[in-house]
């Protein structure tokens, strides 16, 4: 049961962290500076350090989901 709660907490923190980082990137750019939202983020090409941080947050969410699913299979 402890692993399930730990996995769910990791998953939620990864999702919240990644979405907050993406929102912070969107707010940082001045209005009218880019033609579309997709041009704003260097994440698409995995180019910038911001993209690496967002990918790490998403990896944290996936790791939490794996831990939670494994703990559900163990508890019978």
């Amino acid at each position: 049961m402890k692993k399930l709660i730990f996995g769910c907490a990791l998953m939620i923190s990864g999702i919240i962290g990644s979405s907050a980082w993406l929102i912070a990137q969107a707010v940082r750019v001045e209005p009218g500076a880019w033609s579309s939202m997709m041009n704003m983020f260097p994440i698409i090409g995995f180019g910038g350090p911001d993209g690496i941080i967002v990918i790490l947050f998403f990896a944290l969410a996936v790791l939490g989901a794996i831990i939670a699913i494994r703990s559900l299979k163990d508890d019978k």
Side-chain angles (χ1 to χ4, degrees), residues 10 14 18 52-66:
L10 277 178
S18 62
I52 294 170
I53 293 171
V54 171
I55 290 171
L56 289 176
F57 276 125
F58 282 136
L60 183 71
V62 169
L63 179 69
I66 290 171

mmCIF file of all heavy atoms in Angstrom, residues 10 14 18 52-66:
data_model
loop_
_atom_site.group_PDB
_atom_site.id
_atom_site.type_symbol
_atom_site.label_atom_id
_atom_site.label_comp_id
_atom_site.label_asym_id
_atom_site.label_seq_id
_atom_site.Cartn_x
_atom_site.Cartn_y
_atom_site.Cartn_z
ATOM 1 N N LEU A 10 4.444 10.331 -6.922
ATOM 2 C CA LEU A 10 5.433 10.626 -7.964
ATOM 3 C C LEU A 10 4.757 11.013 -9.271
ATOM 4 O O LEU A 10 5.184 11.950 -9.948
ATOM 5 C CB LEU A 10 6.327 9.411 -8.198
ATOM 6 C CG LEU A 10 7.504 9.206 -7.282
ATOM 7 C CD1 LEU A 10 8.230 7.923 -7.663
ATOM 8 C CD2 LEU A 10 8.444 10.370 -7.323
ATOM 9 N N GLY A 14 5.083 14.694 -10.977
ATOM 10 C CA GLY A 14 5.658 14.818 -12.313
ATOM 11 C C GLY A 14 4.742 15.563 -13.270
ATOM 12 O O GLY A 14 5.186 16.404 -14.053
ATOM 13 N N SER A 18 5.697 19.291 -14.719
ATOM 14 C CA SER A 18 5.861 19.521 -16.154
ATOM 15 C C SER A 18 4.884 20.565 -16.680
ATOM 16 O O SER A 18 5.259 21.426 -17.481
ATOM 17 C CB SER A 18 5.703 18.215 -16.919
ATOM 18 O OG SER A 18 4.409 17.695 -16.722
ATOM 19 N N ILE A 52 14.760 19.593 -21.618
ATOM 20 C CA ILE A 52 15.290 18.473 -20.846
ATOM 21 C C ILE A 52 14.615 18.396 -19.486
ATOM 22 O O ILE A 52 14.277 17.303 -19.008
ATOM 23 C CB ILE A 52 16.819 18.612 -20.706
ATOM 24 C CG1 ILE A 52 17.471 18.461 -22.080
ATOM 25 C CG2 ILE A 52 17.374 17.586 -19.733
ATOM 26 C CD1 ILE A 52 18.934 18.813 -22.108
ATOM 27 N N ILE A 53 14.367 19.531 -18.867
ATOM 28 C CA ILE A 53 13.715 19.556 -17.560
ATOM 29 C C ILE A 53 12.282 19.041 -17.660
ATOM 30 O O ILE A 53 11.824 18.257 -16.825
ATOM 31 C CB ILE A 53 13.767 20.967 -16.951
ATOM 32 C CG1 ILE A 53 15.215 21.322 -16.617
ATOM 33 C CG2 ILE A 53 12.888 21.067 -15.716
ATOM 34 C CD1 ILE A 53 15.430 22.750 -16.205
ATOM 35 N N VAL A 54 11.569 19.445 -18.696
ATOM 36 C CA VAL A 54 10.191 18.971 -18.881
ATOM 37 C C VAL A 54 10.174 17.469 -19.140
ATOM 38 O O VAL A 54 9.323 16.745 -18.604
ATOM 39 C CB VAL A 54 9.501 19.748 -20.022
ATOM 40 C CG1 VAL A 54 8.175 19.130 -20.383
ATOM 41 C CG2 VAL A 54 9.312 21.192 -19.629
ATOM 42 N N ILE A 55 11.122 16.981 -19.915
ATOM 43 C CA ILE A 55 11.198 15.545 -20.174
ATOM 44 C C ILE A 55 11.496 14.781 -18.888
ATOM 45 O O ILE A 55 10.964 13.690 -18.661
ATOM 46 C CB ILE A 55 12.245 15.259 -21.269
ATOM 47 C CG1 ILE A 55 11.716 15.772 -22.609
ATOM 48 C CG2 ILE A 55 12.573 13.778 -21.356
ATOM 49 C CD1 ILE A 55 12.709 15.750 -23.721
ATOM 50 N N LEU A 56 12.339 15.331 -18.018
ATOM 51 C CA LEU A 56 12.612 14.687 -16.728
ATOM 52 C C LEU A 56 11.359 14.623 -15.860
ATOM 53 O O LEU A 56 11.122 13.613 -15.183
ATOM 54 C CB LEU A 56 13.734 15.420 -15.996
ATOM 55 C CG LEU A 56 15.128 15.246 -16.580
ATOM 56 C CD1 LEU A 56 16.124 16.109 -15.824
ATOM 57 C CD2 LEU A 56 15.541 13.802 -16.551
ATOM 58 N N PHE A 57 10.551 15.693 -15.885
ATOM 59 C CA PHE A 57 9.296 15.665 -15.132
ATOM 60 C C PHE A 57 8.344 14.610 -15.687
ATOM 61 O O PHE A 57 7.679 13.894 -14.932
ATOM 62 C CB PHE A 57 8.615 17.031 -15.146
ATOM 63 C CG PHE A 57 9.124 17.987 -14.106
ATOM 64 C CD1 PHE A 57 9.598 19.228 -14.467
ATOM 65 C CD2 PHE A 57 9.101 17.649 -12.766
ATOM 66 C CE1 PHE A 57 10.055 20.113 -13.513
ATOM 67 C CE2 PHE A 57 9.550 18.526 -11.801
ATOM 68 C CZ PHE A 57 10.035 19.760 -12.174
ATOM 69 N N PHE A 58 8.265 14.493 -17.013
ATOM 70 C CA PHE A 58 7.416 13.472 -17.614
ATOM 71 C C PHE A 58 7.928 12.070 -17.292
ATOM 72 O O PHE A 58 7.142 11.153 -17.060
ATOM 73 C CB PHE A 58 7.309 13.658 -19.123
ATOM 74 C CG PHE A 58 6.360 14.750 -19.523
ATOM 75 C CD1 PHE A 58 6.707 15.652 -20.515
ATOM 76 C CD2 PHE A 58 5.124 14.875 -18.931
ATOM 77 C CE1 PHE A 58 5.832 16.657 -20.897
ATOM 78 C CE2 PHE A 58 4.246 15.876 -19.297
ATOM 79 C CZ PHE A 58 4.601 16.770 -20.291
ATOM 80 N N ALA A 59 9.249 11.895 -17.273
ATOM 81 C CA ALA A 59 9.830 10.605 -16.903
ATOM 82 C C ALA A 59 9.506 10.262 -15.447
ATOM 83 O O ALA A 59 9.262 9.096 -15.116
ATOM 84 C CB ALA A 59 11.336 10.618 -17.125
ATOM 85 N N LEU A 60 9.488 11.270 -14.581
ATOM 86 C CA LEU A 60 9.109 11.058 -13.186
ATOM 87 C C LEU A 60 7.664 10.580 -13.090
ATOM 88 O O LEU A 60 7.356 9.682 -12.300
ATOM 89 C CB LEU A 60 9.296 12.356 -12.399
ATOM 90 C CG LEU A 60 9.021 12.323 -10.910
ATOM 91 C CD1 LEU A 60 10.109 11.539 -10.207
ATOM 92 C CD2 LEU A 60 8.953 13.730 -10.363
ATOM 93 N N ALA A 61 6.787 11.142 -13.898
ATOM 94 C CA ALA A 61 5.388 10.722 -13.898
ATOM 95 C C ALA A 61 5.247 9.286 -14.394
ATOM 96 O O ALA A 61 4.479 8.493 -13.832
ATOM 97 C CB ALA A 61 4.555 11.667 -14.760
ATOM 98 N N VAL A 62 5.995 8.922 -15.417
ATOM 99 C CA VAL A 62 5.937 7.554 -15.939
ATOM 100 C C VAL A 62 6.498 6.568 -14.914
ATOM 101 O O VAL A 62 5.942 5.485 -14.710
ATOM 102 C CB VAL A 62 6.696 7.462 -17.281
ATOM 103 C CG1 VAL A 62 6.881 6.029 -17.718
ATOM 104 C CG2 VAL A 62 5.971 8.262 -18.346
ATOM 105 N N LEU A 63 7.579 6.938 -14.255
ATOM 106 C CA LEU A 63 8.157 6.087 -13.214
ATOM 107 C C LEU A 63 7.161 5.865 -12.073
ATOM 108 O O LEU A 63 7.016 4.749 -11.567
ATOM 109 C CB LEU A 63 9.449 6.704 -12.684
ATOM 110 C CG LEU A 63 10.156 5.942 -11.572
ATOM 111 C CD1 LEU A 63 10.721 4.644 -12.115
ATOM 112 C CD2 LEU A 63 11.230 6.794 -10.952
ATOM 113 N N GLY A 64 6.465 6.920 -11.681
ATOM 114 C CA GLY A 64 5.447 6.787 -10.644
ATOM 115 C C GLY A 64 4.320 5.873 -11.065
ATOM 116 O O GLY A 64 3.815 5.079 -10.252
ATOM 117 N N ALA A 65 3.912 5.953 -12.323
ATOM 118 C CA ALA A 65 2.851 5.067 -12.811
ATOM 119 C C ALA A 65 3.311 3.612 -12.805
ATOM 120 O O ALA A 65 2.545 2.711 -12.437
ATOM 121 C CB ALA A 65 2.430 5.484 -14.219
ATOM 122 N N ILE A 66 4.555 3.376 -13.173
ATOM 123 C CA ILE A 66 5.083 2.008 -13.181
ATOM 124 C C ILE A 66 5.139 1.451 -11.761
ATOM 125 O O ILE A 66 4.749 0.300 -11.513
ATOM 126 C CB ILE A 66 6.472 1.980 -13.855
ATOM 127 C CG1 ILE A 66 6.325 2.239 -15.350
ATOM 128 C CG2 ILE A 66 7.174 0.651 -13.608
ATOM 129 C CD1 ILE A 66 7.631 2.452 -16.068
#
